[in-house]
Structures are given as C-alpha cells and as structure tokens.
Amino acid sequence: MRTLKLLHPLASVLSGSGSSGKLQILIYHRVLPSDDPLQPGEPSVADFTWQMEILKNHFQVLPLSEAISKLKSQTLPARAACITFDDGYADNLHLAAPVLASLGLPATVFVATDYLDGGIMFNDITLEVVRQFKGDQLDLTAAGIDQRYTIGDTTSRLAAWRAITSQLKYLPVEERQNRAMQCADMTGTRLPRDLMLKSEELVKLKASGVDIGAHTHRHPILKTCSDDMAAKEISDNKSTLQQILGHDIELFAYPNGVPLQDYSKRDRQLVKQQGFKAAVSTSAGTSRCDSDIYQLNRFTPWDRTPARFYLRLLKNYLDK
Ligand SMILES: [Zn+2]
C-alpha cells in the first residue's frame, strides 16, 4: 500500500469541517493491459491499481447513488469520492472490475448501448486508422477530412488522431460513424470487434458489484440532436439497459459532457422527464448540496505518478 508520507500534512487539511459536504466524482473510460502511447489518458491496469489504492486510503469512496442521496441530505462524509467509467468498454469488466473488487471499491459504468455486442465507436475507428497506417502521408480527404497528415512517430500519429477526431465529433451521429468507417475502408484498417462489452458481459459486470448507468444509445452530442432524436437516444438507451439487466436505470451521463457545448437545458429536462434520479457532466470540480443534481461535476485524473495523482485529487477537492 502506498502511504505518501510526505503528503500527510496536506492530507490533514481534508479532515477540517470546511471541506465536508463536497463530492468528488472521477471519470475513467478504459483500463488497458499495458501503456498505449496512442492513448496516454487511459491508465494501464498497473497504474489503475495504485490509483485505486490511493483513493481507498485517502478518500471515502461511495457508490454514486448513495453519495447523491447523502449529498442531498447533507450527510456526506469528509473526502467523499465516487468512481465512474463512460461508454462501456469490455476492459471495465476484465481489467478494472477485479481491481475494484479486490479493494472493495464501488463504481458506476455508463453504457452507450448501440456499441454493445461487437460495436466500435467512431473515435476508436480513427484511432486504429492512425495506429495501423504504414505510409507517411495519411490522406482521408475523400472521407471529408480537411487535410493530409504526415505520419511518422507516435507524436505525429496522436496529433493526426486528435485532429481527425475533432473534425468528426460534432457531426450528426450517423454521418460521423459512416465517415469514420470510410476512413477505415480507404486505409484497409482492421477493426477490433471486442472493445466494448457484450450483453452477457454487462450482466457479469453488474453481478460483480458495479452499478450500470445510461449514456445514450449511439453517443451523439445531444446538443446537436433534434428534440425527437435526443429523446429517443435517451429512452432507447434506458429501455435497452433495463431489458438486459432487468432493473430500472437511475443515473445518466451526458456524452462528452461539457455543459452548454455538448448538452443543453433541453437535454437536462429530457433526462429528468425520463425518470433518471441524477446526471453527471464532465465539468471539473466537486459538487455540493446546492449543486444541480442533473449536472453533477466530474473530474478526469490523468497523472501517472502517485504523488501527482494524489495532489491533483486533493487540489480538485479543495478548489471551490
Ligand atoms: Zn462517452
């Protein structure tokens, strides 16, 4: 166990009453078997393990639904934290869940249901395109990508992936997927079909003690959707999850999650109308008892050394 002795004086700050009542919610997407230079934001299982040990040792990790109830009733313990995952990657079951179970930590996985059972999200398609490309000039202009990218080392591949992905992200969801598939077809890219959970794996994930939440069906940017499409994305997702799992789904995460940019007041209202008890954004910081229960803040920890990771959590917790 990592004790971070040098940081204990800072940790004592957290026991003060001024910090109680705040809820810190962490966002993860994937946990990888080992470091992937093209996915620097996704921890390896080794890094994820020490991150979870630090959380267990220095924070009070609660199930998200319990934390939200306690937030509303102003009974949250000091240093309250929750762990969440977005999208529904299979590694959440195979790599993250065993670590969580071994440490007795609860978590919630928000699942975009259209990608269950062999699907692949547009950003993972483009990642494989730049990963597998063997030439030095990646020309995807026929798929509507605005320029050619010089491909060489990891840095150039990562830069190309970020540029291509940002061009596609805000397109209508079908066009976004079609263009990404066109990029893969043009370059002869082989696409993995086991990235996301299968339905039976989702049931296993739930059985392992992980809660399941909603994340829309196809992961569109809700703000770009018509009223009907936004409502359908949310309701199809909820009903599919309920059918697979056999129970009500109460928590929702907005795709991409930036308030006003990725979802609007309309979408917040739709989520509430469709019976969700709470929703989470990707706006950084903590939440308090007077926070909007349908727009709780979340925070992505990205540091790769224990001391920096801990300090980042501490800073996020202590910031207003
Ligand atoms: Zn997502």
Side-chain angles (χ1 to χ4, degrees):
M1 288 287 167
R2 290 163 196 268
T3 52
L4 295 168
K5 283 178 185 158
L6 287 173
L7 298 170
H8 278 174
L10 273 173
S12 67
V13 174
L14 291 170
S15 61
S17 59
S19 292
S20 65
K22 292 164 83 172
L23 175 61
Q24 175 157 245
I25 308 173
L26 274 65
I27 313 174
Y28 287 90
H29 288 83
R30 303 196 57 185
V31 171
L32 304 173
S34 57
D35 285 334
D36 178 359
L38 290 180
Q39 299 186 85
E42 309 297 337
S44 67
V45 67
D47 284 349
F48 181 71
T49 301
W50 61 249
Q51 290 179 359
M52 293 302 101
E53 287 172 352
I54 287 172
L55 264 181
K56 184 181 169 77
N57 291 339
H58 297 280
F59 290 84
Q60 296 290 322
V61 184
L62 302 170
L64 183 55
S65 54
E66 182 185 333
I68 291 168
S69 297
K70 290 186 167 172
L71 183 73
K72 287 197 283 191
S73 61
Q74 301 188 42
T75 56
L76 267 185
R79 295 166 284 126
C82 296
I83 302 158
T84 69
F85 293 80
D86 281 6
D87 301 338
Y89 286 95
D91 56 47
N92 294 182
L93 171 69
H94 300 299
L95 298 177
V99 175
L100 294 166
S102 73
L103 294 168
L105 293 175
T108 301
V109 174
F110 294 100
V111 177
T113 35
D114 192 39
Y115 304 100
L116 292 169
D117 302 304
I120 179 166
M121 296 175 72
F122 86 98
N123 49 299
D124 289 317
I125 298 173
T126 53
L127 185 67
E128 288 311 309
V129 169
V130 300
R131 186 198 301 282
Q132 295 175 30
F133 185 68
K134 292 198 168 62
D136 54 8
Q137 287 287 313
L138 180 57
D139 183 353
L140 301 169
T141 49
I145 303 301
D146 71 347
Q147 65 176 82
R148 293 175 188 159
Y149 296 92
T150 301
I151 299 291
D153 58 5
T154 298
T155 306
S156 64
R157 285 180 199 272
L158 196 50
W161 176 70
R162 285 179 173 146
I164 294 163
T165 303
S166 71
Q167 284 182 56
L168 297 178
K169 186 181 274 187
Y170 288 86
L171 293 175
V173 65
E174 259 185 68
E175 183 181 350
R176 183 176 74 183
Q177 194 75 6
N178 289 342
R179 289 227 212 150
M181 284 304 296
Q182 203 180 340
C183 293
D185 290 343
M186 287 164 54
T187 50
T189 303
R190 298 178 315 282
L191 296 177
R193 290 297 177 185
D194 57 355
L195 275 184
M196 314 309 285
L197 290 160
K198 296 182 178 71
S199 295
E200 63 263 31
E201 291 177 323
L202 185 61
V203 173
K204 280 185 194 165
L205 187 60
K206 173 70 190 179
S208 81
V210 171
D211 287 332
I212 307 300
H215 197 39
T216 73
H217 189 53
R218 295 181 294 176
H219 204 279
I221 301 295
L222 281 171
K223 195 177 174 187
T224 68
C225 295
S226 67
D227 292 353
D228 286 349
M229 186 186 281
K232 185 169 163 47
E233 283 287 341
I234 297 166
S235 62
D236 283 357
N237 180 228
K238 193 174 204 250
S239 60
T240 304
L241 287 173
Q242 289 178 176
Q243 201 171 12
I244 295 169
L245 296 167
H247 62 74
D248 195 20
I249 300 294
E250 299 182 334
L251 302 174
F252 181 87
Y254 302 96
N256 222 44
V258 179
L260 303 177
Q261 177 182 307
D262 297 329
Y263 68 93
S264 63
K265 282 184 182 172
R266 175 205 63 185
D267 305 311
R268 177 199 177 279
Q269 200 56 24
L270 284 172
V271 168
K272 189 177 178 185
Q273 281 168 359
Q274 293 198 20
F276 289 98
K277 290 190 173 168
V280 292
S281 73
T282 58
S283 187
T286 54
S287 296
R288 295 169 179 270
C289 64
D290 58 352
S291 297
D292 181 355
I293 212 78
Y294 287 96
Q295 298 189 81
L296 295 171
N297 294 330
R298 289 192 298 168
F299 163 73
T300 302
W302 67 88
D303 295 289
R304 291 292 174 263
T305 68
R308 284 182 177 275
F309 176 83
Y310 177 65
L311 281 173
R312 185 88 55 193
L313 292 186
L314 194 61
K315 182 177 182 309
N316 184 60
Y317 186 74
L318 293 174
D319 281 355
K320 64 180 167 67

